[in-house]
């Protein structure tokens, strides 16, 4: 900790650091919202290929484990965490520029304008862009969490990571508004309702804005030093030993099981929620497009309420906050299941409200648990591993919802039954995750300090 600022993170510095994820949310909306809409809906390219490109982040997630562990024991340019964070975000900013140039060229071709680059070169540029974007996200994501771990005192980490995640939600909202202004879409204007120049301008401006946000948010948050203390345990343990610790410790297995199960089933609804409302109840696109605003706003409220409870009352900890969030999510899935199977349209809005509150509360508690279950001296490695598991589980959940819907639709021939099956599966999966979480919560109540936790984890290897 010698190379870090004092582990006392004020609210002001916390908000400054949280701006980092405002940019992350905007970047996510740009790639998975704006770009895929342009490619599939406006240019008519395969949704499968576009989905594979945007999903590269899931395949490169293991790199984050390596970057996190390396940052635990080494410094580059005098920094442990900051080098990796800024390197990763620089790659993401560069990829945003290359993605913009390639996409603008495709728009020109679709509009019948003279194009310079060959189709093969354009697709190569797209693949290269998403490789850079995914690599940058992998090496900067886990090390950013490790920096928060380093910067905050033990009792502040839940609040610190909670505010950061809340700013990620704000980034989704702000990014959607910003991009709709920068690239307005007129459905009556024909197949392509915007110019190649407007697309290019959007990506260039966004790359500049993201670079500024990412740089300023972390400027001065880690001191540059020539050396820092590394324990003998850190230098002698291998990555394989660190990760085997997760499996050999019964309590960490419970936490890993809870983490992956809750993440996968919480996002089982991600790809089917809007189509469910459209195909079961005939809701129009301009109505279902507001769903993210409904649940996103409730998620922000749920996040702030959870942070307030954690700050004001000692009766609340990350374990019972997580349990409360999962219970609300179970109730949300139950409401959606009844709404779909019984075709009760008025239940959709209450379901969205419960979904948002549940996601907000669950995220604050679960992110706090990720911090709790990262031993001192190995935070980078463990947070990298938790992030890797979360990323894969979320990807499985997002894909799994669509797969279950398609299979059940083929079997039943009824949209109501198909979507109802997805929500029922999510309900069951979250219930199992809730049961696993009870063991994690009870165990954490017996651990009062990082030193005790580190000792218990070390003993698990004996």
């Amino acid at each position: 900790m010698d190379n870090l600022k004092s582990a006392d993170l004020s609210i002001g510095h916390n908000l400054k650091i949280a701006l980092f994820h405002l940019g992350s949310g905007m970047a996510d909306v740009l790639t998975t919202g704006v770009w895929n809409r342009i490619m599939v809906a406006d240019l008519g390219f395969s949704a499968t290929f576009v989905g594979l490109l945007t999903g590269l982040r899931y395949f490169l997630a293991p790199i984050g484990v390596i970057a996190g562990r390396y940052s635990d024991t080494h410094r580059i340019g005098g920094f442990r965490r900051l080098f990796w964070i800024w390197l990763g975000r620089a790659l993401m900013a560069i990829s945003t520029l290359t993605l913009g140039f390639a996409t603008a060229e495709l728009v020109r071709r679709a509009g019948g304008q003279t194009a310079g680059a060959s189709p093969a070169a354009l697709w190569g540029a797209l693949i290269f862009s998403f490789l850079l974007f995914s690599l940058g996200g992998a090496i900067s994501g886990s090390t950013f969490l490790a920096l928060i771990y380093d910067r905050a005192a033990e009792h502040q980490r839940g609040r610190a990571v909670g505010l950061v995640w809340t700013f990620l939600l704000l980034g989704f909202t702000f990014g959607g508004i910003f991009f709709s202004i920068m690239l307005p879409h007129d459905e009556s204007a024909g197949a392509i309702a915007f110019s190649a120049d407007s697309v290019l301008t959007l990506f260039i401006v966004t790359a500049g804005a993201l670079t500024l946000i990412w740089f300023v948010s972390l400027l001065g948050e880690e001191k540059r030093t020539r050396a820092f203390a590394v324990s003998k345990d850190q230098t002698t343990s291998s990555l394989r030993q660190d990760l085997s610790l997760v499996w050999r410790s019964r309590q960490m297995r419970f936490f890993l099981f809870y983490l992956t199960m809750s993440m996968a089933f919480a996002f089982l609804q991600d790809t089917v929620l809007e189509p469910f409302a459209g195909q079961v109840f005939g809701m129009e696109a301009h109505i279902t497009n507001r769903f993210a605003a409904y649940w996103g706003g409730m998620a922000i409220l749920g996040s702030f309420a959870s942070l307030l409870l954690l700050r004001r009352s000692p009766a609340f900890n990350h374990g019972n906050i997580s349990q409360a969030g999962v219970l609300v999510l179970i109730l949300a899935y139950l409401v959606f299941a009844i709404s779909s199977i019984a075709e009760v349209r008025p239940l959709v809005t209450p379901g969205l409200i419960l979904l948002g509150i549940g996601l907000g509360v669950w995220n604050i508690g679960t992110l706090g648990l990720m911090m709790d279950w990262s031993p001192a001296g190995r935070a980078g490695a463990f947070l990298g591993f938790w992030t890797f598991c979360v990323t894969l589980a979320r990807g499985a959940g997002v894909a799994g919802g669509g797969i279950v819907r398609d299979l059940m639709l083929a079997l039943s021939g009824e949209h109501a039954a198909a979507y109802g099956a997805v929500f029922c599966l999510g309900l069951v999966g979250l219930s199992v995750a809730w049961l696993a979480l009870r063991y994690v919560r009870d165990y954490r109540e017996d651990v009062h300090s990082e030193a005790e936790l580190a000792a218990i984890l070390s003993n698990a290897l004996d």
Side-chain angles (χ1 to χ4, degrees):
M1 297 287 289
D2 294 340
N3 69 319
L4 300 174
K5 300 180 74 171
S6 175
D8 183 15
L9 188 63
S10 67
I11 294 291
H13 271 288
N14 200 163
L15 292 173
K16 175 176 173 285
I17 292 174
L19 283 173
F20 182 87
H21 262 356
L22 180 73
S24 300
M26 292 176 62
D28 195 52
V29 171
L30 181 66
T31 54
T32 61
V34 177
W35 181 78
N36 68 340
R37 163 63 196 253
I38 293 173
M39 294 294 289
V40 177
D42 298 303
L43 299 182
F45 290 108
S46 166
T48 298
F49 185 73
V50 170
L52 287 173
L53 285 179
T54 57
L56 273 175
R57 69 184 72 181
Y58 302 124
F59 300 105
L60 296 185
I63 297 176
V65 183
I66 300 173
R69 187 178 191 281
Y70 192 88
S71 72
D72 283 337
T73 55
H74 297 78
R75 71 189 187 281
I76 299 178
F79 298 109
R80 293 174 68 189
R81 319 293 189 188
L82 211 52
F83 169 82
W84 295 101
I85 299 170
W86 276 345
L87 173 62
R89 296 298 149 150
L91 294 178
M92 292 174 69
I94 292 171
S95 72
T96 301
L97 288 175
T98 58
L99 184 65
F101 279 103
T103 306
E105 194 70 13
L106 290 173
V107 172
R108 288 192 184 93
R109 285 178 171 274
Q113 301 177 36
T114 303
S118 67
L122 292 177
W123 286 108
L126 291 177
I127 295 172
F128 175 74
S129 298
F130 275 98
L131 280 172
L132 280 187
F133 189 91
S134 302
L135 177 61
I139 65 176
S140 60
S142 58
T143 46
F144 173 65
L145 285 178
L147 178 64
I148 296 175
Y149 183 100
D150 295 336
R151 284 287 287 113
E154 183 178 1
H155 68 281
Q156 297 174 328
R157 286 172 186 153
R159 178 254 287 171
V161 76
L163 282 178
V164 166
W165 187 82
T166 303
F167 267 71
L168 182 67
L169 291 176
L170 291 174
F172 294 152
T173 303
F174 178 77
I177 297 172
F178 176 73
F179 297 139
S180 65
I181 294 173
M182 288 288 296
L183 193 67
H185 193 90
D186 183 4
E187 298 289 350
S188 64
I192 304 178
F194 42 78
S195 67
D197 289 340
S198 63
V199 171
L200 184 56
T201 300
L202 168 67
F203 279 85
I204 292 176
V205 171
T206 301
L210 294 179
T211 300
L212 182 64
I213 290 173
W214 288 329
F215 181 78
V216 170
S217 66
L218 298 185
L219 184 63
E221 295 303 327
E222 183 181 20
K223 289 182 179 179
R224 183 181 180 188
T225 119
R226 298 181 56 138
F228 63 93
V230 178
S231 68
K232 180 180 179 181
D233 180 61
Q234 284 178 267
T235 56
T236 57
S237 67
S238 66
L239 177 61
R240 181 178 179 182
Q241 287 176 320
D242 281 347
L243 299 185
S244 68
L245 181 58
V246 176
W247 186 251
R248 295 178 64 178
S249 167
R250 180 173 180 270
Q251 297 300 331
M252 294 197 83
R253 288 201 303 270
F254 272 116
F255 176 63
L256 176 61
F257 183 72
Y258 157 73
L259 188 65
T260 54
M261 288 285 288
S262 64
M263 181 62 65
F265 288 103
F267 287 94
L268 198 68
Q269 47 73 33
D270 198 57
T271 56
V272 302
L273 197 56
E274 288 82 1
F276 148 69
Q279 294 185 311
V280 175
F281 300 113
M283 293 187 185
E284 297 178 352
H286 72 276
I287 297 177
T288 60
N289 286 343
R290 301 173 190 167
F291 281 9
Y294 293 152
W295 69 255
M298 292 297 102
I300 292 174
L301 291 178
S303 298
F304 279 122
S306 300
L307 290 171
L308 185 62
L309 289 173
L310 287 168
R311 183 178 177 83
R312 297 292 178 86
S313 175
F316 290 94
N317 55 46
H318 297 138
N320 51 35
I321 287 291
S322 298
Q323 277 201 319
V326 175
L327 284 174
V328 177
L329 285 174
I330 291 172
L331 184 57
Y333 272 83
L334 176 62
V335 170
F336 281 132
I338 295 173
S339 175
S340 181
I341 295 172
E343 299 188 34
V344 184
R345 177 169 175 163
L347 288 178
V348 174
T349 299
L352 291 171
I353 293 173
L354 288 170
L355 177 67
I357 294 173
L359 286 173
V361 176
W362 164 73
N363 264 284
I364 296 300
T366 301
L367 287 170
L369 286 175
M370 287 170 61
M371 290 287 182
D372 292 340
W373 282 99
S374 298
R378 299 181 183 180
F382 275 79
L383 286 169
F385 180 67
W386 302 139
T387 303
F388 164 60
C389 295
V390 162
T391 302
L392 290 185
R394 180 171 179 174
V398 170
I403 293 172
V404 172
R405 178 262 183 200
D406 289 346
L407 289 175
M408 291 305 298
L409 182 61
L411 292 173
S412 67
E414 298 288 337
H415 285 111
Y419 288 108
V422 176
F423 297 131
C424 286
L425 179 61
L427 189 157
V428 173
L430 287 169
S431 298
V432 174
W434 182 82
L435 291 174
L437 177 59
R438 293 190 63 187
Y439 291 95
V440 176
R441 184 199 63 174
D442 293 339
Y443 178 71
R444 281 296 303 175
E445 288 176 349
D446 295 329
V447 179
H448 305 293
S449 70
E450 285 182 349
E452 289 180 68
L453 177 58
I456 291 171
L457 295 176
S458 296
N459 290 337
L461 286 177
D462 296 337

